[in-house]
Structures are given as structure tokens and as C-alpha cells.
Amino acid sequence: MKLLIKGGRVIDPSQRLDELADVLIEEGIIKAIEKDIQVDAPIYEAKGKLVLPAFVDLHCHLREPGQEHKEDLASGSLAGVAGGFCALFAMPNTSPPLDSKSQIGYILAKAAHLPLYIFPVGALSLGMRGEELAPIGELAEAGVKAISDDGMPVQNSGLLRNALLYARMFNLTVILHCEDTSLSQGGVANEGFTATRLGLRGIPTSAEEIAVVRAVLLALETGCKVHICHISTKNSLELVRWGKTKGAPITCDVTPHHLVLTEEAIENYDTRAKCNPPLRSEEDRKALIEGLLDGTIDCIATDHAPHSKDEWDVEFDLAPFGIAGLETAFPLLYTTLVENGLIPLELLVEKMSTTPAQLMDLELGSLKVGREANLVVIDTKPIRVNVESLFSRGKNNPFQGWTLKGFPCLTICKGEIVFERRAEL
Amino acid sequence: MKHLLGLESLDREEILSLLKKGKEYREWLDEVYEKRRQPLPHLKGRRICLLFYEPSTRTRHSFEIAGRLLEADVTSFSLAVSSVQKGESFKDTLLTLESMGFDLFVIRHSYSGACFYASNILRRASVVNAGDGMHEHPTQTLLDLLTIYRARNKVEGLRIAIVGDILHSRVARSAIFALNKLNWNIHICAPPTLLPKDVEKFNVKVFHRLEEAIKDVDVIYMLRIQRERQKEQFFPSLEEYSRLYRLTSQHLSLAPGAMVMHPGPVNRGVEMEGTVVDGGESFILDQVRNGVAIRMAILHSILGEEKR
């Protein structure tokens, strides 16, 4: 594939690049980033657009095998490339869970034919039941880079400690969804005035924070790389900050929705804003933005959690947790955080491309010459979100009807053009 | 009024107008109906469905009686023998019943927000909230206000102590929403385990001691304590709960002349001593009679004034 992307604003934090330039791709490889490249190649006009390393998502739910009515690898991949992503880490809470070599092999075999990179995350415990360790060595051999029990967090601290000690031997990262379920049990919303008014059972912030303390201390003690996903409270950030100053091998991510919405989004019992951890207070939200700026938060991950409408169009208590946000992630953050001057654009690119790739040791998230082309061109014209025309099967997206800027208009993955937006949403 | 989903969304005037109408129906019940035993034809031909997903005695029966006294056609939907047992969703149940031609659904549901959800699902029919989870129970609060209105001849600017399981109580939430609009001084009293987070943002004064909470109030409002809460360890035992929060006749001297109220059903001897339940300050049975009157007012406000 040969392509000259002309005149865009090229931003690549991995080489501290931010300039108007042309990007030349030949045989799927980035050949040059220079001004006014004169070459005989098909041209993609990018004047007024942004050219970025494609995004890497450390946390999404692709639902295959077993829950294809919510999403499958193909529909999730399309949603991914339409959202500007070149790599997705697929969580293991499928049916059955990804706790064996054959399960991992199934995902990798299918992923080879898909337009972007899919990295299956192995289960930490057998069946994600939190009782016995999954065959972590076998999973590592099968090619996983990380293990996690995600939304079914291990409650037994002894088991978790052994998992960390053991996983370290294979240089795996352990991704932890931090939740003490004895504190969150039965809860459906952040414990606060909104839940009190609506008569919804609350999930206190301590349910997350106690598990964060445990994760930080165990990372420090075992030396295993621990990545805390979808961090949501001010105190959790303080605890991670403390862990980092002590030298714990700990990193964390935040979701786009926790950076933009607060608990008030569940007003009118809107199940599309029901997620776990729940949307928190404005004070927490501000602290999360602060955490991005000061580096406590290493990256942004979507926690894309598609569900079918039959599942979420029900009474609030019965609706599953989760927001399907792969396709709105970048435009949402570009519009609400960058355009409003809350964070610099380069930082957003760094948190969505550079650092997640680095954390998982991937040759992605960079536009360095010689690398395989994995890049996205962003159009900043405003588009009104219409979930029906998004590629994900999950329409549980609370940003329906929002007008956002920054949707991808061209995505290149594995050196090929995999997505080009021609129509409006 | 299209629906009655809660009192948070009503304003002072709407509440007062329902109370005025309820008072008139109560007078009709006492003075006219008692003698002639003839219903009023106000809702003749209108069809009401009582859709109760939770057990209820007084709310369900008083809606049924209220509907019949206005000559509406009232059907009670019986959960135990319905398709809900076959796994039919709430959404499909609503749409199915609406297709049968009901004009109004009175809904009691164990999930907060279920009535709001129903009002979005239904294409034409109205919804009256008869209690949704821990959220609201607006008709209970309206009948309580009617009881106070008739006894005190005023319904604004008074003092109340609401005592008991505030955390799980839809009655408490509806009361707090409405009483704030009517400029009441609200005391709430419970152990910290039975108070919802940030409850003080409701403009209420929080107490943990019964004796302090009820001092000099106009209304002592006791909530039912559910035995399951002890199993969930919100308090050590029913005996200890009673030791701290049972209203006895000795307490009444702390609030001379106060009305004693309870939404029922009462756990005699647990949250209230039997002699107080039966005593001269108790308005519990008057509350029940007003329940019929206020529900007539509500049904009429929704169905009677709407263009056919």
C-alpha cells in the first residue's frame, strides 16, 4: 500500500512531533514525515485535519465467544477502526471465559483476519470464579500479554498475591478491576445525593479504594506489574500516587465516560449511563482530569461494554453495567477536554496511543519512520452522534445526540487502509 | 395531570389542589356516601389496571375502592397467575395490557424508577406510582397531608419528625420532597446505618436519638421496620432497635398535642407500643380512610379532566 497523506497536523508524542507535514507510506511502512514530499503516490488530502498514531485500547469487551448478540470480534473490530484504534485488548469475560490455551488460540486465529490487532487478555482464575488460578503459564505460552478477572474481581487476597507472584515469572501484566464486593453488593449507582434522591442502592467509593490499596501493596510486595483499570475516585488516585512514589510497579487507566460524566447522568434512570465503577461526583471527575495532567493516570481505556437493547431497555436495577464507547472515545475527549482547554491535544494522543502501547511493549502508538503504518486521520468538523449508525452492536451509549468534533475520517492499520468515513454518522 | 410519578416533580400549587379535592371527596364519603351508598359517575367507562409487583393491602384496596366509587372499571392484575411467571418482561406486560384498552395503570414495583420507565413505555395510558422500590410513594404522602390538613386546618410550615428506616423508605422520600415544598421543618431520626448518603442535602435535620428528634414537633411519623434489615446487619437486633426507636406513651409528653402517624402495616411493640397505636393521638385509621379520598382525587385529576 502506497499513500501520501498531505498537509495534516502530524502529532506523535513518541518523537515529540507536532507540525504540519506530509506522511508517506510505502508497502505499509512509514517512509517519511516531511514538508512537501514530492512523490508519485495516491494522495489523501489532510489539510485542516489531524494525523495521529492510531489508538490502543487496553480494555474492551468483544463478547466472542458466546455473547455474539452483544458484539463479536468482527463488529467490535469495525467499531474499533471507526474509532481510530489499531489495537484492542479483549477482556476474558466471554462465555466460556478465556482461561485456556484453546480459547486464546481461537481469538488469535480469528483476529489474524481482522482489520486491527486484537490481544486477548487471559483469565486470572479458572472460569473467573476467583477460587483457583487459571493456567497462567499456558496462557502466557498461548500469547497473552496480560491476565485479569476484570468485572469479577478476586476477593481472596491470598489467591491474588499468588497470582501476582506467579504471573511475574512470565512478565505478564495483571489488570485489576478494583472492587470489594462486600461493599458494593447490590449497588447500582455511586453512593451520593443522586442515588439517594432516585432511591437507588449506592456503591461507596471505599469499595474501589480498599481494593486499590490492596493492589498497590501487593504490587509493591510481589514486584509484579499491576495495571488498575477504570480508576474512578479521587482517593484511588491518591493511593496510586503514593504507590508510585514508593516504587510500586503500578499503572492505571481511566475511561472517557468517567472523565466527562458524573453521577447526574443517571437522572431519569438512564440505563445507558449505568456502569461499574459507577459515574462518580464532580469532585472525583475533576481529580481524574488532574490525574491525567500530573501523570498519575498512565492512559485512557474505553471499557467498551456493548449490550443488546433488550438487555438495557429495562428497569434500572435489572440493566447490565457498561457503556459501548469505542467509537465516541476520541471525539468525546477531544470536544470536552481539549477544545475546552482542560488538557493539551498532545497529552490526549499520548494517553490513547503512546503510553498504552508502551505499557504492553507493543510496536504501536508511534509514527516513527520505519514502523508499520498504524495511524488515524481526524476530522474536526462537528458531527451529531447517532448510535444507530455506529458499527458496534451495542447501542448503550449515553452520548447519543451529542454533537462532537474529532471523528476519524481515515484509519490505517497493519499498513492498510481499514476505514474511511464518507458519510456523516 | 398526565401521570403521578412522584412528588419531587409536583409544585406547591399542584399538591395543594390535590389536597383540596381530596378533602371534598372525604366530606362526600362521610356525609353523602355513608347515607345513600351511591357511587359518583365521574369516571364511568374509564378503565383502570392495578399492576402490583409487590404485596400490598391498603394501597391496592383503597385504589380499587376509590376507582369503584367513581364508577371506573377497575381490574386487578394478579402477578401470581400472570405471564410474569413465564418470564414476560415489565415492558411487554405494560404494552400487552395497554393494548387491552386500559386508560390508567396504578403500579407498585420493587425497583426504583419503574413507574418513570413505565410512563416512557406506554403510548397513551397514564401511570400512578403506588410505590417504586426505595424511590417514592406519592399517594401515601398525599393521604398523610390530607390527614394533617383535616386535623390542623393547615398544611404548611409545621414541624415533623420522621423516625425509622429512612434509607430504604419510599414513604420518607416522598414526604421529604413534599414537605420541603410546603415549608416544613423536617427532622429525621435513624441509626446512621439506616440513613442514605448526603441525606442532609434534602434540607432536613438529622437525629439519632428519638427523644431529641420528636421534641416539640407537630407530627411524629413512624416508619415500619422490616425484619430483613436485621439479617442484613443494619442493626444488631429487633430488641435493640425497639429499645432505641420504639415510640411509647411516655414519649408523647415531649411533643404535647402532636399527631402520631404511621403508613402501616404497624409492627406492634417494635416501632410503636400498642397503646400508642390505639391511643387518642394516633391518626393511623384516619390515614387509611383519607387514602380512599385522596386516591379518588388523584384518579379524577388524571382521568376526569382529560378530554375523551
Side-chain angles (χ1 to χ4, degrees), chain A residues 293-316:
Chain A
L293 288 167
D294 71 15
T296 308
I297 298 177
D298 301 88
C299 63
I300 292 164
T302 66
D303 195 6
H304 175 73
H307 296 291
S308 75
K309 193 174 183 210
D310 288 338
E311 291 163 318
W312 58 261
D313 182 17
V314 292
E315 301 94 303
F316 196 86

PDB file of all heavy atoms in Angstrom, chain A residues 293-316:
ATOM      1  N   LEU A 293      -3.234  14.998  33.926  1.00  0.00           N
ATOM      2  CA  LEU A 293      -2.253  16.066  33.731  1.00  0.00           C
ATOM      3  C   LEU A 293      -0.968  15.800  34.502  1.00  0.00           C
ATOM      4  O   LEU A 293       0.117  16.064  34.007  1.00  0.00           O
ATOM      5  CB  LEU A 293      -2.855  17.411  34.172  1.00  0.00           C
ATOM      6  CG  LEU A 293      -3.940  17.977  33.245  1.00  0.00           C
ATOM      7  CD1 LEU A 293      -4.680  19.120  33.927  1.00  0.00           C
ATOM      8  CD2 LEU A 293      -3.318  18.447  31.928  1.00  0.00           C
ATOM      9  N   ASP A 294      -1.088  15.265  35.739  1.00  0.00           N
ATOM     10  CA  ASP A 294       0.142  15.099  36.535  1.00  0.00           C
ATOM     11  C   ASP A 294       0.799  13.731  36.307  1.00  0.00           C
ATOM     12  O   ASP A 294       1.807  13.411  36.934  1.00  0.00           O
ATOM     13  CB  ASP A 294      -0.129  15.368  38.024  1.00  0.00           C
ATOM     14  CG  ASP A 294      -0.954  14.283  38.706  1.00  0.00           C
ATOM     15  OD1 ASP A 294      -1.103  13.180  38.142  1.00  0.00           O
ATOM     16  OD2 ASP A 294      -1.453  14.541  39.814  1.00  0.00           O
ATOM     17  N   GLY A 295       0.199  12.910  35.439  1.00  0.00           N
ATOM     18  CA  GLY A 295       0.856  11.649  35.091  1.00  0.00           C
ATOM     19  C   GLY A 295       0.492  10.480  35.990  1.00  0.00           C
ATOM     20  O   GLY A 295       0.949   9.362  35.762  1.00  0.00           O
ATOM     21  N   THR A 296      -0.324  10.703  37.011  1.00  0.00           N
ATOM     22  CA  THR A 296      -0.728   9.574  37.858  1.00  0.00           C
ATOM     23  C   THR A 296      -1.500   8.560  37.024  1.00  0.00           C
ATOM     24  O   THR A 296      -1.346   7.356  37.196  1.00  0.00           O
ATOM     25  CB  THR A 296      -1.618  10.068  39.021  1.00  0.00           C
ATOM     26  OG1 THR A 296      -0.937  11.127  39.685  1.00  0.00           O
ATOM     27  CG2 THR A 296      -1.907   8.952  40.001  1.00  0.00           C
ATOM     28  N   ILE A 297      -2.326   9.058  36.117  1.00  0.00           N
ATOM     29  CA  ILE A 297      -3.045   8.164  35.201  1.00  0.00           C
ATOM     30  C   ILE A 297      -2.206   7.991  33.946  1.00  0.00           C
ATOM     31  O   ILE A 297      -1.858   8.966  33.285  1.00  0.00           O
ATOM     32  CB  ILE A 297      -4.441   8.727  34.858  1.00  0.00           C
ATOM     33  CG1 ILE A 297      -5.291   8.834  36.135  1.00  0.00           C
ATOM     34  CG2 ILE A 297      -5.132   7.838  33.824  1.00  0.00           C
ATOM     35  CD1 ILE A 297      -6.656   9.438  35.925  1.00  0.00           C
ATOM     36  N   ASP A 298      -1.889   6.745  33.649  1.00  0.00           N
ATOM     37  CA  ASP A 298      -0.973   6.466  32.545  1.00  0.00           C
ATOM     38  C   ASP A 298      -1.641   6.500  31.181  1.00  0.00           C
ATOM     39  O   ASP A 298      -1.024   6.867  30.189  1.00  0.00           O
ATOM     40  CB  ASP A 298      -0.316   5.097  32.752  1.00  0.00           C
ATOM     41  CG  ASP A 298       0.450   5.062  34.058  1.00  0.00           C
ATOM     42  OD1 ASP A 298      -0.154   4.723  35.092  1.00  0.00           O
ATOM     43  OD2 ASP A 298       1.641   5.430  34.044  1.00  0.00           O
ATOM     44  N   CYS A 299      -2.889   6.053  31.128  1.00  0.00           N
ATOM     45  CA  CYS A 299      -3.532   6.016  29.820  1.00  0.00           C
ATOM     46  C   CYS A 299      -5.053   6.039  29.941  1.00  0.00           C
ATOM     47  O   CYS A 299      -5.602   5.971  31.034  1.00  0.00           O
ATOM     48  CB  CYS A 299      -3.059   4.800  29.014  1.00  0.00           C
ATOM     49  SG  CYS A 299      -3.500   3.233  29.749  1.00  0.00           S
ATOM     50  N   ILE A 300      -5.677   6.140  28.785  1.00  0.00           N
ATOM     51  CA  ILE A 300      -7.134   6.144  28.702  1.00  0.00           C
ATOM     52  C   ILE A 300      -7.548   4.846  28.021  1.00  0.00           C
ATOM     53  O   ILE A 300      -6.966   4.462  26.999  1.00  0.00           O
ATOM     54  CB  ILE A 300      -7.618   7.364  27.889  1.00  0.00           C
ATOM     55  CG1 ILE A 300      -7.317   8.654  28.667  1.00  0.00           C
ATOM     56  CG2 ILE A 300      -9.126   7.260  27.591  1.00  0.00           C
ATOM     57  CD1 ILE A 300      -7.402   9.912  27.824  1.00  0.00           C
ATOM     58  N   ALA A 301      -8.509   4.146  28.619  1.00  0.00           N
ATOM     59  CA  ALA A 301      -9.022   2.905  28.023  1.00  0.00           C
ATOM     60  C   ALA A 301     -10.544   2.991  28.040  1.00  0.00           C
ATOM     61  O   ALA A 301     -11.125   3.592  28.933  1.00  0.00           O
ATOM     62  CB  ALA A 301      -8.528   1.694  28.813  1.00  0.00           C
ATOM     63  N   THR A 302     -11.180   2.383  27.034  1.00  0.00           N
ATOM     64  CA  THR A 302     -12.610   2.669  26.889  1.00  0.00           C
ATOM     65  C   THR A 302     -13.523   1.862  27.806  1.00  0.00           C
ATOM     66  O   THR A 302     -14.602   2.297  28.135  1.00  0.00           O
ATOM     67  CB  THR A 302     -13.090   2.389  25.447  1.00  0.00           C
ATOM     68  OG1 THR A 302     -12.991   0.993  25.194  1.00  0.00           O
ATOM     69  CG2 THR A 302     -12.291   3.180  24.443  1.00  0.00           C
ATOM     70  N   ASP A 303     -13.107   0.645  28.197  1.00  0.00           N
ATOM     71  CA  ASP A 303     -14.038  -0.290  28.857  1.00  0.00           C
ATOM     72  C   ASP A 303     -15.313  -0.426  28.017  1.00  0.00           C
ATOM     73  O   ASP A 303     -16.425  -0.485  28.550  1.00  0.00           O
ATOM     74  CB  ASP A 303     -14.365   0.148  30.290  1.00  0.00           C
ATOM     75  CG  ASP A 303     -15.026  -0.983  31.095  1.00  0.00           C
ATOM     76  OD1 ASP A 303     -15.121  -2.110  30.581  1.00  0.00           O
ATOM     77  OD2 ASP A 303     -15.438  -0.720  32.239  1.00  0.00           O
ATOM     78  N   HIS A 304     -15.112  -0.451  26.717  1.00  0.00           N
ATOM     79  CA  HIS A 304     -16.226  -0.651  25.766  1.00  0.00           C
ATOM     80  C   HIS A 304     -16.997  -1.912  26.175  1.00  0.00           C
ATOM     81  O   HIS A 304     -16.444  -3.014  26.144  1.00  0.00           O
ATOM     82  CB  HIS A 304     -15.617  -0.814  24.369  1.00  0.00           C
ATOM     83  CG  HIS A 304     -16.587  -1.151  23.282  1.00  0.00           C
ATOM     84  ND1 HIS A 304     -17.467  -0.226  22.785  1.00  0.00           N
ATOM     85  CD2 HIS A 304     -16.798  -2.305  22.591  1.00  0.00           C
ATOM     86  CE1 HIS A 304     -18.194  -0.790  21.821  1.00  0.00           C
ATOM     87  NE2 HIS A 304     -17.806  -2.052  21.684  1.00  0.00           N
ATOM     88  N   ALA A 305     -18.247  -1.738  26.572  1.00  0.00           N
ATOM     89  CA  ALA A 305     -19.026  -2.867  27.108  1.00  0.00           C
ATOM     90  C   ALA A 305     -20.403  -2.910  26.448  1.00  0.00           C
ATOM     91  O   ALA A 305     -21.393  -2.467  27.016  1.00  0.00           O
ATOM     92  CB  ALA A 305     -19.154  -2.740  28.622  1.00  0.00           C
ATOM     93  N   PRO A 306     -20.441  -3.446  25.218  1.00  0.00           N
ATOM     94  CA  PRO A 306     -21.704  -3.450  24.484  1.00  0.00           C
ATOM     95  C   PRO A 306     -22.723  -4.436  25.063  1.00  0.00           C
ATOM     96  O   PRO A 306     -22.358  -5.509  25.538  1.00  0.00           O
ATOM     97  CB  PRO A 306     -21.279  -3.894  23.072  1.00  0.00           C
ATOM     98  CG  PRO A 306     -20.006  -4.658  23.268  1.00  0.00           C
ATOM     99  CD  PRO A 306     -19.331  -4.054  24.452  1.00  0.00           C
ATOM    100  N   HIS A 307     -23.988  -4.018  25.036  1.00  0.00           N
ATOM    101  CA  HIS A 307     -25.107  -4.898  25.408  1.00  0.00           C
ATOM    102  C   HIS A 307     -26.217  -4.696  24.386  1.00  0.00           C
ATOM    103  O   HIS A 307     -26.320  -3.627  23.778  1.00  0.00           O
ATOM    104  CB  HIS A 307     -25.634  -4.547  26.802  1.00  0.00           C
ATOM    105  CG  HIS A 307     -24.650  -4.759  27.897  1.00  0.00           C
ATOM    106  ND1 HIS A 307     -24.234  -6.006  28.284  1.00  0.00           N
ATOM    107  CD2 HIS A 307     -23.983  -3.884  28.696  1.00  0.00           C
ATOM    108  CE1 HIS A 307     -23.359  -5.891  29.266  1.00  0.00           C
ATOM    109  NE2 HIS A 307     -23.181  -4.602  29.532  1.00  0.00           N
ATOM    110  N   SER A 308     -27.073  -5.709  24.261  1.00  0.00           N
ATOM    111  CA  SER A 308     -28.183  -5.555  23.322  1.00  0.00           C
ATOM    112  C   SER A 308     -29.285  -4.717  23.961  1.00  0.00           C
ATOM    113  O   SER A 308     -29.408  -4.650  25.186  1.00  0.00           O
ATOM    114  CB  SER A 308     -28.736  -6.922  22.930  1.00  0.00           C
ATOM    115  OG  SER A 308     -29.502  -7.445  23.988  1.00  0.00           O
ATOM    116  N   LYS A 309     -30.107  -4.104  23.117  1.00  0.00           N
ATOM    117  CA  LYS A 309     -31.137  -3.201  23.631  1.00  0.00           C
ATOM    118  C   LYS A 309     -32.124  -3.936  24.537  1.00  0.00           C
ATOM    119  O   LYS A 309     -32.616  -3.382  25.511  1.00  0.00           O
ATOM    120  CB  LYS A 309     -31.876  -2.513  22.480  1.00  0.00           C
ATOM    121  CG  LYS A 309     -32.717  -1.360  23.000  1.00  0.00           C
ATOM    122  CD  LYS A 309     -33.372  -0.521  21.934  1.00  0.00           C
ATOM    123  CE  LYS A 309     -34.118   0.629  22.624  1.00  0.00           C
ATOM    124  NZ  LYS A 309     -35.286   1.075  21.896  1.00  0.00           N
ATOM    125  N   ASP A 310     -32.398  -5.203  24.219  1.00  0.00           N
ATOM    126  CA  ASP A 310     -33.299  -5.966  25.082  1.00  0.00           C
ATOM    127  C   ASP A 310     -32.763  -6.054  26.497  1.00  0.00           C
ATOM    128  O   ASP A 310     -33.518  -6.194  27.450  1.00  0.00           O
ATOM    129  CB  ASP A 310     -33.502  -7.390  24.537  1.00  0.00           C
ATOM    130  CG  ASP A 310     -34.360  -7.383  23.277  1.00  0.00           C
ATOM    131  OD1 ASP A 310     -35.110  -6.410  23.081  1.00  0.00           O
ATOM    132  OD2 ASP A 310     -34.283  -8.357  22.505  1.00  0.00           O
ATOM    133  N   GLU A 311     -31.451  -6.002  26.618  1.00  0.00           N
ATOM    134  CA  GLU A 311     -30.852  -6.117  27.949  1.00  0.00           C
ATOM    135  C   GLU A 311     -30.845  -4.796  28.701  1.00  0.00           C
ATOM    136  O   GLU A 311     -31.030  -4.764  29.915  1.00  0.00           O
ATOM    137  CB  GLU A 311     -29.416  -6.657  27.830  1.00  0.00           C
ATOM    138  CG  GLU A 311     -29.385  -8.104  27.371  1.00  0.00           C
ATOM    139  CD  GLU A 311     -28.025  -8.546  26.854  1.00  0.00           C
ATOM    140  OE1 GLU A 311     -27.369  -7.778  26.112  1.00  0.00           O
ATOM    141  OE2 GLU A 311     -27.621  -9.666  27.154  1.00  0.00           O
ATOM    142  N   TRP A 312     -30.637  -3.683  27.976  1.00  0.00           N
ATOM    143  CA  TRP A 312     -30.534  -2.417  28.719  1.00  0.00           C
ATOM    144  C   TRP A 312     -31.827  -1.594  28.729  1.00  0.00           C
ATOM    145  O   TRP A 312     -31.962  -0.662  29.520  1.00  0.00           O
ATOM    146  CB  TRP A 312     -29.329  -1.578  28.281  1.00  0.00           C
ATOM    147  CG  TRP A 312     -29.240  -1.176  26.833  1.00  0.00           C
ATOM    148  CD1 TRP A 312     -28.494  -1.784  25.864  1.00  0.00           C
ATOM    149  CD2 TRP A 312     -29.884  -0.073  26.188  1.00  0.00           C
ATOM    150  NE1 TRP A 312     -28.640  -1.136  24.666  1.00  0.00           N
ATOM    151  CE2 TRP A 312     -29.486  -0.080  24.829  1.00  0.00           C
ATOM    152  CE3 TRP A 312     -30.745   0.943  26.623  1.00  0.00           C
ATOM    153  CZ2 TRP A 312     -29.922   0.872  23.904  1.00  0.00           C
ATOM    154  CZ3 TRP A 312     -31.190   1.887  25.705  1.00  0.00           C
ATOM    155  CH2 TRP A 312     -30.774   1.833  24.368  1.00  0.00           C
ATOM    156  N   ASP A 313     -32.796  -1.947  27.894  1.00  0.00           N
ATOM    157  CA  ASP A 313     -34.065  -1.216  27.919  1.00  0.00           C
ATOM    158  C   ASP A 313     -35.007  -1.880  28.920  1.00  0.00           C
ATOM    159  O   ASP A 313     -35.990  -2.502  28.559  1.00  0.00           O
ATOM    160  CB  ASP A 313     -34.689  -1.205  26.520  1.00  0.00           C
ATOM    161  CG  ASP A 313     -35.987  -0.399  26.486  1.00  0.00           C
ATOM    162  OD1 ASP A 313     -36.222   0.382  27.417  1.00  0.00           O
ATOM    163  OD2 ASP A 313     -36.768  -0.569  25.534  1.00  0.00           O
ATOM    164  N   VAL A 314     -34.647  -1.778  30.191  1.00  0.00           N
ATOM    165  CA  VAL A 314     -35.392  -2.426  31.276  1.00  0.00           C
ATOM    166  C   VAL A 314     -35.330  -1.524  32.509  1.00  0.00           C
ATOM    167  O   VAL A 314     -34.764  -0.434  32.458  1.00  0.00           O
ATOM    168  CB  VAL A 314     -34.770  -3.801  31.635  1.00  0.00           C
ATOM    169  CG1 VAL A 314     -34.944  -4.809  30.515  1.00  0.00           C
ATOM    170  CG2 VAL A 314     -33.299  -3.647  31.985  1.00  0.00           C
ATOM    171  N   GLU A 315     -35.916  -1.993  33.605  1.00  0.00           N
ATOM    172  CA  GLU A 315     -35.827  -1.281  34.870  1.00  0.00           C
ATOM    173  C   GLU A 315     -34.348  -1.100  35.243  1.00  0.00           C
ATOM    174  O   GLU A 315     -33.539  -1.995  35.007  1.00  0.00           O
ATOM    175  CB  GLU A 315     -36.546  -2.071  35.983  1.00  0.00           C
ATOM    176  CG  GLU A 315     -38.016  -2.348  35.730  1.00  0.00           C
ATOM    177  CD  GLU A 315     -38.262  -3.714  35.072  1.00  0.00           C
ATOM    178  OE1 GLU A 315     -37.703  -3.985  33.973  1.00  0.00           O
ATOM    179  OE2 GLU A 315     -39.024  -4.500  35.653  1.00  0.00           O
ATOM    180  N   PHE A 316     -34.020   0.038  35.873  1.00  0.00           N
ATOM    181  CA  PHE A 316     -32.618   0.379  36.133  1.00  0.00           C
ATOM    182  C   PHE A 316     -31.876  -0.735  36.872  1.00  0.00           C
ATOM    183  O   PHE A 316     -30.742  -1.076  36.522  1.00  0.00           O
ATOM    184  CB  PHE A 316     -32.532   1.697  36.924  1.00  0.00           C
ATOM    185  CG  PHE A 316     -31.160   2.310  36.906  1.00  0.00           C
ATOM    186  CD1 PHE A 316     -30.772   3.149  35.873  1.00  0.00           C
ATOM    187  CD2 PHE A 316     -30.245   2.033  37.908  1.00  0.00           C
ATOM    188  CE1 PHE A 316     -29.504   3.710  35.840  1.00  0.00           C
ATOM    189  CE2 PHE A 316     -28.971   2.596  37.890  1.00  0.00           C
ATOM    190  CZ  PHE A 316     -28.605   3.433  36.852  1.00  0.00           C
TER     191      PHE A 316
END
